[in-house]
Amino acid sequence: DVKVTQSSRYLVKRTGEKVFLECVQDMDHENMFWYRQDPGLGLRLIYFSYDVKMKEKGDIPEGYSVSREKKERFSLILESASTNQTSMYLCASSLWGARNTEAFFGQGTRLTVV
Amino acid sequence: QQPVQSPQAVILREGEDAVINCSSSKALYSVHWYRQKHGEAPVFLMILLKGGEQKGHEKISASFNEKKQQSSLYLTASQLSYSGTYFCGTIDQTGANNLFFGTGTRLTVIP
């Protein structure tokens, strides 16, 4: 059974903290994605990676960075968390030919910044 | 680059039909449709590739008009299990694999 696992379901952090959200997939997928989900705004792409150490910015990369040191792991980093980064974060992965293959999602991490 | 979906929300009675639309400002290579139930991860429904194909399974089908950069999802004879938020995802023709999702359509089916 295919799996995308996010390290935490719920996370509470303080303003200014450095926050790491971890995502691991066991399907040997090349592509990995980080999305942010907010009511009325849908799923917005933060960053995308198509290979180890490779990354591309999505629509809303400001305030975030990513790390992909191993194929199966894609980390989202909030350099200095702010209250407007309170949101649901979803990780997804797909095969290299993402144009015609489905993406698999993790269960999401609900981050609250206080 | 986020595609636009309409309507934002729709309420149906069991057995009624619905259409969800997705449009992009970019020339598209493929359109993906997903459904997310409350508290769960989005789940894949189908992919449509450029070429204007129409796909479907059971009572959920979709079309892709490449020239208009639009896709529509058709739900016929809706069931209670169809309730959820539907997202379209798009990949453009630049060659990149970035998958952008829309704003979502919340579908509620009532008895």
Side-chain angles (χ1 to χ4, degrees):
Chain A
D1 202 15
V2 296
K3 224 175 199 179
V4 178
T5 303
Q6 295 183 226
S7 53
S8 306
R9 287 297 299 269
Y10 301 94
L11 212 52
V12 179
K13 295 292 181 181
R14 294 197 179 277
T15 302
E17 276 193 80
K18 190 169 186 176
V19 181
F20 293 85
L21 303 184
E22 308 285 348
C23 176
V24 177
Q25 50 95 3
D26 65 359
M27 297 166 282
D28 202 34
H29 284 171
E30 292 82 7
N31 299 324
M32 295 188 76
F33 309 82
W34 274 108
Y35 295 93
R36 171 175 171 161
Q37 183 171 17
D38 300 289
L41 299 178
L43 295 167
R44 292 181 291 168
L45 181 63
I46 306 172
Y47 268 99
F48 159 62
S49 169
Y50 55 90
D51 201 352
V52 173
K53 297 190 188 296
M54 306 305 288
K55 62 185 179 185
E56 287 188 14
K57 293 180 180 179
D59 280 341
I60 52 165
E62 297 78 19
Y64 303 94
S65 62
V66 290
S67 172
R68 193 161 180 205
E69 298 295 322
K70 293 186 177 182
K71 189 177 184 181
E72 67 270 17
R73 186 180 296 269
F74 192 33
S75 302
L76 180 69
I77 304 157
L78 286 68
E79 298 291 342
S80 177
S82 64
T83 54
N84 62 14
Q85 293 179 308
T86 291
S87 185
M88 171 67 84
Y89 291 88
L90 286 165
C91 173
S93 73
S94 68
L95 284 171
W96 164 247
R99 311 167 125 238
N100 58 1
T101 62
E102 68 181 280
F104 295 87
F105 282 84
Q107 286 296 103
T109 296
R110 183 164 295 281
L111 173 68
T112 302
V113 182
V114 297
Chain B
Q1 299 198 45
Q2 189 176 32
V4 177
Q5 285 183 236
S6 63
Q8 282 191 308
V10 59
I11 299 175
L12 298 174
R13 292 199 177 276
E14 271 188 293
E16 291 183 335
D17 302 340
V19 180
I20 300 171
N21 300 303
C22 174
S23 65
S24 174
S25 59
K26 301 276 187 178
L28 298 177
Y29 177 84
S30 63
V31 178
H32 304 218
W33 285 97
Y34 290 74
R35 177 171 62 206
Q36 183 182 34
K37 292 189 177 285
H38 183 69
E40 298 180 10
V43 173
F44 172 77
L45 293 175
M46 65 187 77
I47 288 177
L48 300 102
L49 304 180
K50 69 173 184 172
E53 66 178 272
Q54 185 156 353
K55 294 187 70 173
H57 57 91
E58 296 182 354
K59 295 174 182 174
I60 301 177
S61 62
S63 62
F64 176 25
N65 186 323
E66 180 189 345
K67 288 182 181 177
K68 292 185 177 180
Q69 295 139 219
Q70 293 175 349
S71 177
S72 294
L73 185 72
Y74 306 95
L75 301 102
T76 58
S78 58
Q79 306 168 13
L80 295 175
S81 62
Y82 287 4
S83 292
T85 300
Y86 289 78
F87 291 100
C88 69
T90 58
I91 294 181
D92 64 36
Q93 294 187 21
T94 59
N97 280 334
N98 295 30
L99 177 59
F100 291 94
F101 283 95
T103 47
T105 297
R106 187 167 187 169
L107 180 76
T108 304
V109 181
I110 58 176

